Amino acid sequence: VNQSGFIIQVNKAFETLFQYRPEEILGMPVITIIPKRFHGEHGAHFLRFLSDPSAIEMKGRRLWGVNAQGLEFPVEIGIGHMNSEDEVVFICTIRDITARCQAEDELLQHRDRLQEMVQLQTADLRRAMEAAEAANSAKDTFLTNISHELRTPMHGILSMSKIGLRKTASEP
């Protein structure tokens, strides 16, 4: 891409990625391969590249071929520059990151599903714990009642047994 923002050379990878033939794209502004909704941001991205040459993610736009005209797809773009004859030329490295973006989306969906499953299991465990606590409380109540119910007659039996033992010990 020249300083004016026009595409001056493409390679076979570009043709395959964007589905433009060289005669269709050479001399066209670089924003031709950028979806229209991003045209206003192009200048800011370009200035950012000049100060920070790290790659940026954005959308590319295919023209024709198997994919429908104007199809957007995620790309990662890196820009370098070099002096060529009388002007600075920008060399763009563009990579289709569709598969990576799909994998990231799948990971996010799995993460969300796992969070949902953890919440459901936590709720199940909470209900089970509450049921166990209620059963434990019922057991304690039962044991308290049964202990009282058994202790009263047992005291009577013990008292009668002691009386019986004393009587048998005192008789000749």
Side-chain angles (χ1 to χ4, degrees):
V1 177
N2 66 16
Q3 280 180 287
S4 301
F6 291 95
I7 299 171
I8 57 174
Q9 186 178 2
V10 296
N11 61 15
K12 189 67 178 162
F14 176 91
E15 293 177 47
T16 302
L17 183 61
F18 285 95
Q19 300 176 354
Y20 281 90
R21 292 184 298 269
E23 61 271 13
E24 294 174 309
I25 198 68
L26 293 179
M28 298 295 289
V30 73
I31 62 172
T32 304
I33 62 170
I34 299 171
K36 287 183 180 175
R37 63 191 164 108
F38 295 112
H39 286 189
E41 299 172 22
H42 174 68
H45 288 308
F46 186 72
L47 291 174
R48 183 182 150 238
F49 277 122
L50 293 177
S51 62
D52 177 13
S54 61
I56 188 170
E57 292 181 13
M58 62 178 306
K59 298 283 186 181
R61 186 174 66 87
R62 291 186 173 103
L63 177 65
W64 59 272
V66 180
N67 296 304
Q69 183 173 345
L71 176 70
E72 291 184 15
F73 63 104
V75 294
E76 182 179 79
I77 303 173
I79 296 182
H81 64 279
M82 65 179 219
N83 292 329
S84 172
E85 298 174 11
D86 296 333
E87 68 177 340
V88 175
V89 176
F90 297 95
I91 302 165
C92 304
T93 305
I94 304 171
R95 192 168 61 110
D96 184 344
I97 57 171
T98 301
R100 185 180 84 194
C101 290
Q102 288 172 342
E104 288 171 354
D105 288 345
E106 286 177 22
L107 281 173
L108 289 174
Q109 289 174 2
H110 287 298
R111 184 201 67 195
D112 293 344
R113 179 66 184 133
L114 285 173
Q115 285 178 337
E116 183 181 313
M117 289 171 63
V118 166
Q119 289 172 348
L120 290 172
Q121 286 184 339
T122 301
D124 288 346
L125 288 172
R126 187 171 288 119
R127 283 190 294 275
M129 184 179 76
E130 289 168 357
E133 287 172 349
N136 192 41
S137 176
K139 175 198 68 144
D140 289 344
T141 302
F142 173 77
L143 288 176
T144 300
N145 289 339
I146 204 72
S147 172
H148 176 73
E149 294 297 322
L150 288 175
R151 203 175 317 139
T152 303
M154 288 301 276
H155 279 294
I157 293 170
L158 282 172
S159 296
M160 293 304 267
S161 297
K162 285 179 185 177
I163 293 172
L165 283 173
R166 272 189 252 142
K167 272 192 170 193
T168 54
S170 64
E171 287 195 16

